Amino acid sequence: RGAATASGDQGAATASGYQGAATASGTWGAATASGDQGAATASGYLGMVQGKAGNALFAVERKAWGGPIVSVACGIVGKDGIDPDTWYQAKDGKLVKGGAL
C-alpha cells in the first residue's frame, strides 16, 4: 500500500506493491502500477500511465505546458480494450495508446 510520486519533468513513479499508488505530475511524467489492485495517475502535460491487469489508470489532458486541463480519462487495465504494460495518455476524454518515453 505504498505510494510513489514523481513531480519533476520526465519523472517516473512506479507502485509495485499491493494497492499501491503512483503519481506523475511533471511534463512527460510517467506513472506505472505494476502491483496488485493499484493505481497510476498522470496529471502533467504529455503525461502517460500504464499498469498490469486489474490496476486503475487515470490521466489528464493539457494542450500546452502549464495549460489548463481540457479532458480526463480513466480505465481498468484488462477491460474495455485497455492493454496491460502499454503506455496511455488522455485525449478527448479517452485513454489512447501513447508514444514511447
Side-chain angles (χ1 to χ4, degrees), residues 21-75:
T23 302
S25 60
T27 298
W28 279 96
T32 301
S34 61
D36 292 323
Q37 299 179 19
T41 302
S43 61
Y45 177 58
L46 300 175
M48 299 197 324
V49 292
Q50 75 167 341
K52 75 175 217 179
N55 285 301
L57 304 180
F58 303 92
V60 167
E61 179 184 12
R62 299 173 189 270
K63 293 293 184 191
W65 178 85
I69 295 170
V70 296
S71 81
V72 296
C74 63

